[in-house]
Amino acid sequence: VAVHSFAADRPHLLLITVDDMSADSIGAFGCALPETSPHVDRLAAEGMCFRRAHVQVGNCYPSRNVMWSGLHSHNSGVEGFYQVRPANFPHLVDVMRGAGYYVAIRCKVSHSRPYHPYAWDDDLTIREDGTKEHIKDVESYYRSTKRGIQKARAAGKPFCLNINISDPHKPFWEPGDTHPASREFTADEVPVPGFLFDDPAVREELALYYTSVRRADDAVGAILRALDESGESGNTFVMFLSDHGMPLPFAKTQLYHHSTHTPLVVRWPSRVDPGSDDAVHFVSAVDFLPTLCEVAGTAAPEGLDGTSFAPLLNGDEQPGRTAVFKVYNENSGGNRHPIRGIQTADYLYLFNPWSDGTDRFRTATQGTATYRRMVQLAETDAEIAQRLALLDHRVVEELYHVGDDPDCLVNLATDPAHSAALFTLRNRLQEAMEETGDHALEAFLARDDPAAMRAYVDAVQA
């Protein structure tokens, strides 16, 4: 590893996120549509891909707070889109500034900390003249990254930059957009995810989504160009991921496989073998902060829910990393519909205590053209009507064989052939809830008592 005068022997940290992107929208993670992500694919070829990485939460504010606190939402208190003050736990900013890093952020500033303003050294969204960079402008990510590196150099500190790309979060790219993408996709060429349905309206929305994915990739390229020009690439730990899945039904704000599966890539020259791959171990967003602490050579805070996955970067085995615990509590409008999940290599089990046949799930994806088309078609199409009913009302327990059914189309919870798996996953979820002090445990233990579950949900919705 190169030694730099302002970084000593500690690596710089460049943390790149994209907003609302499914893992399988990336070429290196199996995208069926060519050319969505040439820059991320290059990064993946130069680093390590984690095939079983998951964020813990299917929506932005809670998801990002899990990443940078190392705590589950019910332990940090950041279960929704609101501030938690005072925060009684250390954050990435506190830890890395304490370790001597210059710590700055670009975009998602209000979503990436327990309260605002927080003690970032700089908000790189703001230009030197005090005006704001446009969140959909590709070249602005180059300027922000370059400015962050320069400010760290001026301070004589290694940098920890959290650069958050807005795409492909809505509003999507549209024809004639003043912030272009380098490649525009058409409705007839885009793949339709298995959890949706093939329809012209869906394809039109997906074409906008995939073009926005390409614009996000353009921004990744701009960020990496700024890093390369700085001469610091050889001493920079780069981590790339998405905060959760695409902003369409059965992905965003859910805990299905495609809701939380994130395209986690790590590049660390001379420390991580180029083109390496981990398709065995599960990694959760709650593990990010302790991992970054180990990479930076600083002690992780006590009491974290996550553990470092740094040993995996060297190709080592890590016993016990065979599942991921997933949590959802509420949406950006403050509507609380708690969901808990546990996912292994073969199965995903979900518990929905709010599901009583009448309560209706409220989510941002109900504002999409795809959802509106589902509502229209459900009037005459029994299969789509059944899917819509599941999306809106759910059932208390869901079990999917994600090895065979990653789109989570067939609920096996009442199938006797999978009763052993149901028993095992119930136990594993209970253990995770007990270990983390999850308030939803009381509802889970009363899952055969609709009145008790309703009492819990009424209490948390109050």
Side-chain angles (χ1 to χ4, degrees):
V1 177
V3 177
H4 296 259
S5 59
F6 75 104
D9 59 351
R10 288 176 296 171
H12 303 293
L13 306 175
L14 176 58
L15 315 175
I16 306 172
T17 74
V18 287
D19 208 352
D20 290 23
M21 182 189 290
S22 294
D24 63 358
S25 299
I26 297 293
F29 284 80
C31 185
L33 180 63
E35 300 181 17
T36 59
S37 55
H39 294 105
V40 176
D41 293 348
R42 185 198 110 194
L43 185 70
E46 295 171 348
M48 186 174 195
C49 293
F50 291 86
R51 304 295 174 180
R52 289 182 174 167
H54 287 261
V55 295
Q56 201 212 18
V57 190
N59 54 349
C60 179
Y61 200 126
S63 178
R64 291 171 185 272
N65 272 271
V66 170
M67 293 177 194
W68 312 135
S69 72
L71 298 172
H72 297 305
S73 300
H74 47 273
N75 287 331
S76 71
V78 188
E79 294 188 341
F81 288 64
Y82 46 75
Q83 301 191 23
V84 174
R85 185 193 288 268
N88 60 358
F89 56 88
H91 183 277
L92 172 75
V93 175
D94 309 308
V95 176
M96 293 304 163
R97 286 189 73 189
Y101 278 77
Y102 162 87
V103 188
I105 188 170
R106 163 70 202 270
C107 286
K108 309 304 290 190
V109 181
S110 64
H111 288 58
S112 302
R113 78 295 173 268
Y115 60 82
H116 185 71
Y118 210 74
W120 304 90
D121 288 312
D122 277 296
D123 176 359
L124 300 173
T125 318
I126 310 299
R127 302 186 187 101
E128 295 294 345
D129 62 3
T131 60
K132 284 189 175 182
E133 298 280 15
H134 194 286
I135 60 174
K136 300 292 186 178
D137 181 66
V138 169
E139 279 302 299
S140 72
Y141 290 91
Y142 167 82
R143 293 191 294 269
S144 293
T145 306
K146 182 177 180 178
R147 188 163 66 252
I149 294 171
Q150 289 174 338
K151 287 193 169 188
R153 180 176 284 119
K157 296 179 179 181
F159 59 76
C160 175
L161 303 183
N162 180 202
I163 309 295
N164 302 298
I165 299 165
S166 175
D167 278 317
H169 192 290
K170 298 188 77 175
F172 293 145
W173 169 94
E174 292 184 345
D177 201 309
T178 55
H179 300 285
S182 60
R183 170 78 156 82
E184 299 173 12
F185 297 102
T186 60
D188 61 345
E189 67 180 320
V190 297
V192 178
F195 53 84
L196 295 178
F197 53 99
D198 200 337
D199 179 88
V202 176
R203 284 184 167 275
E204 288 292 341
E205 191 160 44
L206 285 169
L208 304 182
Y209 164 77
Y210 278 109
T211 303
S212 301
V213 168
R214 178 60 182 248
R215 188 168 60 181
D217 183 78
D218 293 340
V220 171
I223 293 165
L224 295 177
R225 174 160 49 90
L227 177 63
D228 290 342
E229 289 179 3
S230 75
E232 302 298 335
S233 293
N235 193 40
T236 301
F237 175 95
V238 179
M239 185 166 78
F240 169 86
L241 70 148
S242 173
D243 62 347
H244 53 72
M246 65 169 60
L248 294 176
F250 293 102
K252 182 176 180 175
T253 67
Q254 309 289 342
L255 295 184
Y256 292 113
H257 172 72
H258 292 295
S259 304
T260 60
H261 185 212
T262 187
L264 180 62
V265 177
V266 169
R267 186 184 75 182
W268 193 5
S270 80
R271 299 294 295 272
V272 170
D273 291 337
S276 53
D277 200 270
D278 189 320
V280 175
H281 300 92
F282 277 84
V283 172
S284 171
V286 78
D287 301 324
F288 292 168
L289 180 59
T291 302
L292 293 170
C293 287
E294 185 167 350
V295 169
T298 191
E302 295 183 0
L304 298 185
D305 290 322
T307 56
S308 172
F309 65 84
L312 302 180
L313 299 173
N314 299 320
D316 293 339
E317 295 292 318
Q318 252 184 312
R321 288 182 169 269
T322 58
V324 62
F325 174 43
K326 307 200 279 189
V327 172
Y328 175 87
N329 286 291
E330 69 178 67
N331 72 355
S332 59
N335 300 293
R336 289 178 70 84
H337 291 88
I339 309 171
R340 299 296 185 266
I342 193 84
Q343 183 164 341
T344 66
D346 295 322
Y347 286 95
L348 167 64
Y349 170 75
L350 298 176
F351 170 61
N352 306 292
W354 61 271
S355 177
D356 60 6
T358 58
D359 199 349
R360 182 168 178 261
F361 194 85
R362 294 165 182 82
T363 167
T365 63
Q366 288 166 336
T368 62
T370 296
Y371 180 84
R372 293 194 295 270
R373 186 60 175 154
M374 283 185 74
V375 173
Q376 292 173 348
L377 294 177
E379 296 179 3
T380 55
D381 188 316
E383 184 175 346
I384 290 181
Q386 185 178 30
R387 290 287 286 166
L388 179 63
L390 178 66
L391 184 65
D392 283 350
H393 300 292
R394 307 297 280 275
V395 291
V396 173
E397 293 184 292
E398 298 175 74
L399 180 70
Y400 301 98
H401 194 289
V402 289
D404 298 330
D405 180 23
D407 295 313
C408 300
L409 300 176
V410 182
N411 184 5
L412 304 170
T414 59
D415 187 338
H418 297 271
S419 59
L422 179 64
F423 178 81
T424 298
L425 271 290
R426 279 174 174 167
N427 287 338
R428 294 195 72 167
L429 179 61
Q430 181 173 332
E431 290 171 2
M433 296 171 80
E434 290 172 343
E435 289 172 0
T436 64
D438 188 352
H439 55 73
L441 178 62
E442 62 174 284
F444 181 72
L445 295 176
R447 61 187 175 275
D448 295 323
D449 184 345
M453 285 192 295
R454 191 70 248 170
Y456 161 77
V457 173
D458 287 344
V460 299
Q461 287 181 344

